[in-house]
Coordinates of all heavy atoms in Angstrom, one line a residue:
F250 N -9.3 -16.6 -20.3 CA -9.3 -16.6 -18.8 C -10.8 -16.9 -18.3 O -11.7 -16.2 -18.6 CB -8.8 -15.3 -18.2 CG -8.7 -15.2 -16.7 CD1 -7.6 -15.6 -16.1 CD2 -9.7 -14.7 -16.0 CE1 -7.4 -15.6 -14.7 CE2 -9.6 -14.5 -14.5 CZ -8.5 -15.1 -14.0
D251 N -10.8 -17.8 -17.4 CA -12.1 -18.1 -16.7 C -12.0 -17.8 -15.2 O -11.3 -18.5 -14.4 CB -12.4 -19.7 -16.8 CG -13.8 -20.0 -16.4 OD1 -14.4 -19.3 -15.5 OD2 -14.3 -21.1 -16.8
A252 N -12.7 -16.7 -14.8 CA -12.6 -16.3 -13.5 C -13.1 -17.3 -12.4 O -12.7 -17.2 -11.3 CB -13.5 -14.9 -13.3
R253 N -13.8 -18.3 -12.8 CA -14.3 -19.3 -11.9 C -13.3 -20.3 -11.5 O -13.3 -20.9 -10.4 CB -15.5 -20.0 -12.5 CG -16.8 -19.2 -12.7 CD -17.8 -19.9 -13.5 NE -17.2 -20.2 -14.9 CZ -18.0 -20.9 -15.8 NH1 -19.1 -21.3 -15.6 NH2 -17.4 -21.1 -17.0
K254 N -12.3 -20.5 -12.4 CA -11.3 -21.6 -12.1 C -9.8 -21.1 -12.3 O -8.8 -21.7 -11.7 CB -11.5 -22.8 -12.9 CG -11.5 -22.6 -14.4 CD -11.7 -23.8 -15.2 CE -11.5 -23.6 -16.8 NZ -11.8 -24.9 -17.5
D255 N -9.5 -20.1 -13.2 CA -8.2 -19.7 -13.5 C -7.7 -18.7 -12.4 O -8.4 -18.0 -11.8 CB -8.1 -19.0 -14.9 CG -8.4 -20.1 -16.0 OD1 -8.0 -21.2 -15.8 OD2 -9.0 -19.7 -17.0
K256 N -6.3 -18.7 -12.3 CA -5.7 -17.8 -11.4 C -4.9 -16.8 -12.2 O -4.3 -17.1 -13.2 CB -4.7 -18.5 -10.5 CG -5.3 -19.7 -9.7 CD -6.2 -19.1 -8.6 CE -6.8 -20.1 -7.7 NZ -7.7 -19.7 -6.6
I257 N -4.9 -15.5 -11.8 CA -4.2 -14.4 -12.5 C -2.7 -14.7 -12.6 O -2.1 -14.5 -13.6 CB -4.4 -13.0 -11.8 CG1 -5.9 -12.6 -11.8 CG2 -3.5 -12.1 -12.3 CD1 -6.2 -12.1 -13.1
S258 N -2.1 -15.3 -11.5 CA -0.7 -15.4 -11.4 C -0.1 -16.8 -11.6 O 1.1 -17.1 -11.5 CB -0.2 -14.9 -10.1 OG -0.8 -15.5 -9.0
K259 N -1.0 -17.8 -11.8 CA -0.6 -19.2 -11.8 C -1.1 -19.9 -13.0 O -2.0 -19.5 -13.8 CB -1.0 -19.9 -10.5 CG -0.4 -19.3 -9.3 CD -0.9 -20.0 -8.0 CE -0.4 -19.4 -6.7 NZ -1.0 -20.0 -5.5
G260 N -0.6 -21.2 -13.1 CA -1.2 -22.1 -14.2 C -0.9 -21.6 -15.6 O 0.1 -21.1 -15.9
A261 N -1.9 -21.6 -16.5 CA -1.7 -21.3 -17.9 C -1.3 -19.9 -18.1 O -0.9 -19.5 -19.1 CB -3.0 -21.6 -18.6
F262 N -1.6 -19.0 -17.0 CA -1.4 -17.5 -17.2 C -0.2 -17.1 -16.5 O 0.0 -15.9 -16.2 CB -2.6 -16.8 -16.9 CG -3.8 -17.1 -17.7 CD1 -4.8 -17.9 -17.3 CD2 -3.9 -16.5 -19.0 CE1 -5.9 -18.3 -18.1 CE2 -4.9 -16.8 -19.8 CZ -6.0 -17.7 -19.4
S263 N 0.6 -18.0 -15.9 CA 1.8 -17.5 -15.1 C 2.8 -16.7 -16.1 O 3.4 -15.7 -15.5 CB 2.5 -18.8 -14.6 OG 3.0 -19.6 -15.6
G264 N 3.0 -17.1 -17.3 CA 3.8 -16.3 -18.2 C 3.3 -14.9 -18.4 O 4.1 -14.0 -18.4
S265 N 2.1 -14.8 -18.6 CA 1.5 -13.4 -18.7 C 1.6 -12.7 -17.3 O 1.9 -11.5 -17.4 CB -0.1 -13.5 -19.0 OG -0.2 -14.2 -20.2
W266 N 1.6 -13.2 -16.3 CA 1.8 -12.6 -15.0 C 3.1 -12.1 -14.8 O 3.3 -10.9 -14.4 CB 1.4 -13.6 -13.8 CG 1.8 -13.2 -12.5 CD1 2.7 -13.6 -11.7 CD2 1.2 -12.1 -11.7 NE1 2.8 -12.9 -10.4 CE2 1.8 -12.0 -10.5 CE3 0.1 -11.3 -11.9 CZ2 1.4 -11.1 -9.5 CZ3 -0.3 -10.3 -11.0 CH2 0.3 -10.3 -9.8
Y267 N 4.1 -12.9 -15.3 CA 5.5 -12.4 -15.1 C 5.8 -11.3 -16.2 O 6.5 -10.3 -15.8 CB 6.5 -13.6 -15.5 CG 6.5 -14.7 -14.4 CD1 6.4 -16.0 -14.7 CD2 6.8 -14.3 -13.1 CE1 6.4 -16.9 -13.8 CE2 6.8 -15.3 -12.0 CZ 6.7 -16.6 -12.4 OH 6.7 -17.5 -11.4
T268 N 5.1 -11.3 -17.2 CA 5.2 -10.2 -18.2 C 4.6 -8.9 -17.6 O 5.3 -7.8 -17.7 CB 4.5 -10.5 -19.5 OG1 5.1 -11.6 -20.1 CG2 4.6 -9.3 -20.5
I269 N 3.6 -9.0 -16.9 CA 3.0 -7.8 -16.3 C 3.9 -7.2 -15.2 O 4.2 -6.0 -15.2 CB 1.6 -8.1 -15.7 CG1 0.6 -8.4 -16.7 CG2 1.2 -6.9 -14.8 CD1 -0.7 -8.9 -16.2
L270 N 4.5 -8.1 -14.4 CA 5.4 -7.6 -13.3 C 6.6 -7.0 -13.9 O 7.1 -6.0 -13.4 CB 5.8 -8.9 -12.5 CG 4.7 -9.5 -11.6 CD1 5.2 -10.7 -10.9 CD2 4.1 -8.5 -10.6
A271 N 7.1 -7.7 -15.0 CA 8.3 -7.1 -15.7 C 8.0 -5.7 -16.2 O 8.9 -4.7 -16.0 CB 8.8 -8.0 -16.8
N272 N 6.9 -5.4 -16.7 CA 6.6 -4.1 -17.2 C 6.4 -3.1 -16.0 O 6.7 -1.9 -16.2 CB 5.3 -4.2 -18.0 CG 5.5 -4.7 -19.4 OD1 6.6 -4.6 -19.9 ND2 4.5 -5.6 -19.8
I273 N 5.8 -3.6 -14.9 CA 5.6 -2.7 -13.8 C 6.9 -2.3 -13.1 O 7.2 -1.1 -12.9 CB 4.8 -3.3 -12.7 CG1 3.3 -3.5 -13.2 CG2 4.8 -2.6 -11.4 CD1 2.4 -4.3 -12.3

Side-chain angles (χ1 to χ4, degrees):
F250 183 86
D251 187 337
R253 295 169 297 179
K254 62 180 182 179
D255 292 326
K256 302 292 185 182
I257 294 285
S258 60
K259 299 178 180 179
F262 297 99
S263 61
S265 298
W266 172 247
Y267 289 130
T268 299
I269 292 173
L270 293 177
N272 286 323
I273 291 174

